[in-house]
Amino acid sequence: MSSATGPSDVARQPAAGRARRFAQCARAAVVTAAVLALVPFSAPAATADTAPSRAEIHRALGLGDQPADYVVLVDTSGSMAHDGKYDTVRSTLRPFLDGLSAKDHVALFTFDSRPEPRYIGSAGDTDAIMTRLPKFPDPEGETDIGAALNSALGELDRPDASEIASVVLITDGVHHPPAGSAYPKSTGSMWAALHRRAQALAAHTELAGYALPLGTGATGADLLGDVVDNTTVLRPDSIQDLSGYLERAGTGTQARKARLLLADDVGKGITATWGPNARQDITGGSVAATITLRSATRHVPLSVHDLSVSVTGQPLRVTGVPSTMTLEPGRSKTIPVRLHGKLSAGLLPYRRTEDSAVWLKLSGRVTSDWERVLAPDVALKVPREVRVTGTPLPLRATVGSAVLLPALGAGLLAVLLVLWLAWRRTHRPRLRGELLMEPVFGGQLPDRIALSGRRVALRPRILGGQGSVRGRRRATDRGPQVDLLIRYTPDGSADRWSGATCGPGGHVVVGGVSFTHVPEQRADSRVPLDGRPL
């Protein structure tokens, strides 16, 4: 049987193969999608500069809502017809005007033998402005730059003029006025008067000039700098560069708008304050508080990096502070934090309630993404440190030991007791033995006084009189001994009181009476005793 294949079969085979390959690809795609669904997605780390562009900053500032005055002076003298200069000016003015805001004010002048106002009004309709330009320059026209600048200053001196003004001068020649011009030369008193008028305008207006000389011989453009001090002479290499230079003039005005709008934000940064104002009890070792960071700017967003917080005045630490934070202009953010630790009890840590206050201390680096983008036209001068304002955070805690004062009291009493016992041991020792009292010359039995206790009152029955005896301990070479301090009056009167010190086993005479100490080991207990211990 033949196995030959017909043309229709040949056509079907590639189609079937394509179908199989498509099915295989579809299955592979399904498997891949399933695997990817199971694998956690991880976005690549951003490596591009996230800082906004200057155009984005201008839009954020709403510079289109900030009006500016533009006076555009276009040379329409006969020489502008050469090399297509005038046609190029007409074509490049359109994108320049398109870049202006409807709130901007445009005064378009052409000048040759004399200046001619072509359009004065809002910059919102480029077509209406462009239709006012003549189609061709005046082939017989001269070049009176002085009269053109006089018209420009007159327009900027109107009562409703904006705070930002630009004069754009486009010319291809030199100052060559017609006869009878008020500015016959490029110098003189009339030019000095123009300069003074421009200075007066610049005193209350951001006035700038942009001179565009079309050709190497167009020295007349430099005269704008003799009138307006803040003048930039843009020198395109060819007439085709005019569009880029006109764009630079518009960009310069935008930068001046931004500088004027951001003037109040220069040098403004971030402040920080504690909260709350009520006194917090940190007895438990931790307490909640807040730190409020506030931006002092009106337009510029600020960020603080590597933020850390500490306190002064107490050994406490602060947790809960993010390392990086961004603040929108004029906004504030309150961070909940916790203070950990205990208030110091001082040198004498007795139990008490202690009131204290801790001052906030922050470290970090304040920046703005706008700084580098706007420089050097706008120098924001953002302070790098967070400035702490307000009052310290009031705290209260029970500090010290509850047993310290009782322990100190007990210790003091113990010390006093020891001192008292030591004093009593020295000045009030226990008495031992007997004291014999008899007349100095004898002749009668002695009174025998038993010594005991720490003090003995003398009431002799035989001799009469009264007195007392107590001891005092002192150190000797043979060890401590107790002396007797005797006071006695023979008739009991206060005038005859006298005293003496009698050593152990010694003999003294007081008030005509002999006192003899008989130590304890020699005392005869069988002899009747007289005397009462106190």
Side-chain angles (χ1 to χ4, degrees), residues 324-392:
T324 302
M325 179 173 291
T326 299
L327 293 177
E328 294 301 318
R331 298 296 183 88
S332 63
K333 286 186 178 181
T334 299
I335 311 168
V337 298
R338 292 200 72 84
L339 278 74
H340 303 272
K342 293 183 179 296
L343 298 188
S344 173
L347 297 177
L348 192 61
Y350 62 91
R351 194 72 164 180
R352 67 189 187 275
T353 298
E354 181 75 12
D355 287 344
S356 183
V358 292
W359 290 92
L360 179 63
K361 183 179 180 182
L362 283 88
S363 63
R365 180 172 52 88
V366 181
T367 63
S368 174
D369 289 340
W370 289 17
E371 287 183 283
R372 181 177 56 84
V373 180
L374 295 178
D377 298 308
V378 181
L380 293 176
K381 301 178 182 179
V382 176
R384 297 303 174 206
E385 296 182 354
V386 178
R387 184 168 62 91
V388 177
T389 62
T391 58

Side-chain angles (χ1 to χ4, degrees), residues 129-468:
I129 300 172
M130 293 300 298
T131 56
R132 303 293 180 88
L133 277 175
K135 294 184 178 180
F136 306 102
D138 183 358
E140 304 297 330
E142 302 286 353
T143 307
D144 194 341
I145 296 177
L149 295 177
N150 177 65
S151 298
L153 296 180
E155 175 62 24
L156 297 178
D157 202 19
R158 70 186 193 281
D160 61 341
S162 302
E163 294 182 88
I164 299 174
S166 299
V167 178
V168 180
L169 173 63
I170 306 174
T171 182
D172 71 334
V174 299
H175 177 58
H176 191 272
S181 171
Y183 306 90
K185 299 180 180 180
S186 58
T187 59
S189 60
M190 295 300 292
W191 287 92
L194 286 177
H195 185 216
R196 287 192 297 271
R197 287 177 61 191
Q199 286 181 318
L201 284 172
H204 56 83
T205 304
E206 277 272 341
L207 178 60
Y210 299 93
L212 283 80
L214 304 181
T216 56
T219 59
D222 296 341
L223 293 177
L224 179 58
D226 294 339
V227 176
V228 178
D229 291 330
N230 183 22
T231 291
T232 302
V233 179
L234 306 174
R235 298 190 179 278
D237 295 332
S238 67
I239 187 65
Q240 285 73 25
D241 297 331
L242 181 60
S243 177
Y245 277 86
L246 277 174
E247 183 179 354
R248 283 180 56 184
T251 302
T253 303
Q254 292 289 88
R256 286 157 52 218
K257 281 186 178 182
R259 183 167 59 247
L260 185 65
L261 191 62
L262 296 176
D264 290 340
D265 283 357
V266 174
K268 301 291 181 63
I270 295 177
T271 60
T273 55
W274 270 126
N277 294 327
R279 193 173 296 276
Q280 304 294 300
D281 194 322
I282 198 171
T283 302
S286 176
V287 70
T290 60
I291 298 174
T292 300
L293 297 179
R294 182 173 287 102
S295 170
T297 63
R298 294 180 57 190
H299 305 283
V300 179
L302 299 174
S303 298
V304 56
H305 306 272
D306 303 324
L307 179 63
S308 64
V309 177
S310 59
V311 300
T312 59
Q314 288 291 344
L316 304 176
R317 61 186 180 90
V318 183
T319 60
V321 180
S323 62
T324 302
M325 179 173 291
T326 299
L327 293 177
E328 294 301 318
R331 298 296 183 88
S332 63
K333 286 186 178 181
T334 299
I335 311 168
V337 298
R338 292 200 72 84
L339 278 74
H340 303 272
K342 293 183 179 296
L343 298 188
S344 173
L347 297 177
L348 192 61
Y350 62 91
R351 194 72 164 180
R352 67 189 187 275
T353 298
E354 181 75 12
D355 287 344
S356 183
V358 292
W359 290 92
L360 179 63
K361 183 179 180 182
L362 283 88
S363 63
R365 180 172 52 88
V366 181
T367 63
S368 174
D369 289 340
W370 289 17
E371 287 183 283
R372 181 177 56 84
V373 180
L374 295 178
D377 298 308
V378 181
L380 293 176
K381 301 178 182 179
V382 176
R384 297 303 174 206
E385 296 182 354
V386 178
R387 184 168 62 91
V388 177
T389 62
T391 58
L393 179 67
L395 296 175
R396 172 176 293 162
T398 301
V399 300
S401 173
V403 301
L404 179 63
L405 284 182
L408 287 177
L412 180 60
L413 289 176
V415 170
L416 292 176
L417 179 61
V418 169
L419 292 176
W420 180 77
L421 291 174
W423 178 88
R424 191 177 70 160
R425 172 179 170 79
T426 300
H427 297 278
R428 294 289 189 273
R430 289 188 175 275
L431 301 177
R432 299 282 188 264
E434 293 179 341
L435 190 63
L436 302 181
M437 298 177 60
E438 57 184 334
V440 175
F441 302 106
Q444 65 183 53
L445 293 174
D447 280 306
R448 303 176 72 91
I449 309 298
L451 299 179
S452 63
R454 302 184 186 278
R455 186 174 182 273
V456 175
L458 301 178
R459 296 286 191 271
R461 292 181 294 177
I462 299 174
L463 296 176
Q466 63 182 11
S468 66

Side-chain angles (χ1 to χ4, degrees), residues 452-515:
S452 63
R454 302 184 186 278
R455 186 174 182 273
V456 175
L458 301 178
R459 296 286 191 271
R461 292 181 294 177
I462 299 174
L463 296 176
Q466 63 182 11
S468 66
V469 59
R470 62 180 177 84
R472 182 174 62 191
R473 193 183 304 274
R474 63 184 177 89
T476 66
D477 295 338
R478 292 174 296 178
Q481 71 176 27
V482 176
D483 294 332
L484 300 179
L485 304 181
I486 301 171
R487 283 177 54 80
Y488 177 70
T489 173
D491 58 3
S493 64
D495 296 337
R496 298 190 64 186
W497 276 103
S498 59
T501 300
C502 178
H507 172 79
V508 295
V509 176
V510 181
V513 176
S514 174
F515 291 84

